[in-house]
Amino acid sequence: MDSGLLHLHSLLRWVILLLLVLTLVQAIRKNPAIQKLSLPLLITAHIMLLIGLYQWIFGRYGLTQPLPAGISRMKDPFYRFYQIEHPTLMILATVLITVVRGKAKKLQYKAVVGLLIAAFLLLMAGIPWPFRGEVIGRSLLPGM
């Protein structure tokens, strides 16, 4: 189950990034379509957050699992990223996406653009891209 959730979590990142970029483009164009696009973005982000929180707490390297002997969460780059940095950045991005939904319903284009750019930057910083090295990096597609 843990592996399946990890693959789903990895796959949903592409859905979120696609929906975020589409919503951003529509907000820049001041298209009322942001009202419709922001809802699937919100739903996907919250599903992703729930899966991520489960993994963060109960997963293979979750907070409920004991750390290997001699490992410190803050000194080890793997544990620092996956137990501190990644969850923090993703929770903040999800909060911004949630606020975007409220602003999109009111057609506040300027606020939506700013919040989506901030959420996009947080997401890009928090995703374990392959170029981040062997310790943190993950493949672009789940299971590969």
Side-chain angles (χ1 to χ4, degrees):
M1 182 172 134
D2 193 43
S3 179
L5 284 176
L6 183 61
H7 291 332
L8 178 61
H9 190 72
S10 295
L11 186 63
L12 283 176
R13 91 174 108 170
W14 297 109
V15 175
I16 288 177
L17 289 173
L18 176 67
L19 289 169
L20 194 143
V21 169
L22 288 174
T23 307
L24 181 60
V25 168
Q26 296 306 320
I28 290 170
R29 296 170 75 196
K30 296 188 177 180
N31 187 335
I34 63 169
Q35 290 177 318
K36 290 182 181 178
L37 279 171
S38 64
L39 182 59
L41 175 61
L42 175 77
I43 292 169
T44 308
H46 282 128
I47 290 170
M48 180 88 146
L49 178 65
L50 290 174
I51 293 169
L53 287 175
Y54 176 82
Q55 289 177 317
W56 182 42
I57 296 169
F58 302 110
R60 184 177 7 179
Y61 302 109
L63 296 175
T64 58
Q65 305 300 323
L67 287 174
I71 298 289
S72 167
R73 253 185 202 95
M74 292 306 287
K75 289 184 180 177
D76 184 84
F78 177 84
Y79 285 99
R80 184 181 63 240
F81 180 78
Y82 284 106
Q83 291 186 350
I84 312 264
E85 296 170 8
H86 179 71
T88 302
L89 291 170
M90 296 306 150
I91 289 169
L92 288 173
T94 304
V95 167
L96 291 178
I97 289 170
T98 304
V99 174
V100 160
R101 173 66 180 156
K103 300 292 184 185
K105 285 177 17 180
K106 297 176 185 174
L107 295 176
Q108 296 175 347
Y109 298 108
K110 195 172 186 179
V112 169
V113 169
L115 291 167
L116 284 175
I117 289 172
F120 181 77
L121 293 174
L122 288 172
L123 288 171
M124 295 303 281
I127 291 175
W129 297 108
F131 59 80
R132 294 197 70 172
E134 289 181 25
V135 175
I136 295 171
R138 295 262 169 95
S139 66
L140 291 176
L141 296 173
M144 298 186 98

